[in-house]
Each structure stands twice: as structure tokens, then as C-alpha cells.
Amino acid sequence: QVQLVESGGELVQAGGSLRLSCAVSGRTFSSYAMGWFRQAPGKEREFVGAIRWSGGRIYYVDSVKGRFTISRDNAKNTVYLQMNRLKPEDTAVYYCAAASTGWGPSDYNYWGQGTQVTVSS
């Protein structure tokens, strides 16, 4: 069984930065692709980006390119989402997810509980 726990969400001013962490339990973390999603109030869940198991390939949705960075430390079973130049429209609950196969938006079969990010204007 794989369990994911996000942390790092908080209230931040526009233009600020946050780093979210997602700690993953399970011996096969290094074999999973890891994704980040977000869901704002009244909106559908949005795929933010993902990183392949090796870290060699990373994908970002256009709205966060150049501002967000996904990384992973397989030795620590942790994936990170560094968010810079935050905007009020980045306000959402952020979720990490793990995919045992694939790395597209519909491939994730394990989910964390989410962490709230609020960006004030």
C-alpha cells in the first residue's frame, strides 16, 4: 500500500514562494511517477505537473511553467513542488499523487489528503 502526506501549504502574499512536500510510504516509491494537482473552490481538479520515476522527465501545465518546479528525492521518498511568483489564482488545495504506470493526468491511483495554499492579493 502506498500512502502520501502533503505539507507546506499556507497563506502567502502574491509574488511570494512556497515549497510543498509530499512524503510517500512504500518500498517502491522510486518506481512511481509523481504528480501534483490542485483544486480551487468551485472548480474542477487541475493537473499541475508530474515527474517521472527517474526525474529525467518533468511536465508542467502552461499556467505554471517558469514559476513552479517539481523535484523528487528518491532516497527520502519525497517529492516537492517549489512555487515561485505566486498569484491569487494559484489559490487551491494541492494534492500529490502516485502512478504505478504512466504519468498522464488520468494515470494516478494513489492520492494524498491535500494541503491548502492561499495567495492573497
Side-chain angles (χ1 to χ4, degrees):
Q1 187 69 11
V2 178
Q3 292 184 324
L4 296 82
V5 179
E6 303 96 334
S7 61
E10 61 182 69
L11 173 64
V12 63
Q13 288 190 335
S17 298
L18 280 177
R19 188 176 80 157
L20 305 184
S21 299
C22 175
V24 184
S25 64
R27 294 177 293 174
T28 58
F29 169 76
S30 61
S31 67
Y32 286 90
M34 298 299 300
W36 285 97
F37 294 76
R38 64 186 181 186
Q39 187 165 21
K43 295 188 176 181
E44 293 187 354
R45 186 171 61 197
E46 177 186 22
F47 182 50
V48 174
I51 184 167
R52 293 293 297 270
W53 67 271
S54 66
R57 292 185 66 187
I58 305 174
Y59 169 84
Y60 301 98
V61 69
D62 284 347
S63 59
V64 307
K65 278 182 183 176
R67 299 189 300 122
F68 289 12
T69 302
I70 298 173
S71 61
R72 66 189 295 163
D73 186 337
N74 287 344
K76 295 182 178 179
N77 281 16
T78 302
V79 63
Y80 305 97
L81 179 64
Q82 177 68 44
M83 304 184 294
N84 299 327
R85 303 199 306 277
L86 282 161
K87 305 175 181 180
E89 51 263 43
D90 294 319
T91 294
V93 177
Y94 283 72
Y95 299 89
C96 69
S100 52
T101 58
W103 68 316
S106 60
D107 290 331
Y108 296 86
N109 42 1
Y110 299 100
W111 294 83
Q113 83 290 346
T115 186
Q116 176 70 48
V117 172
T118 303
V119 184
S120 63
S121 57

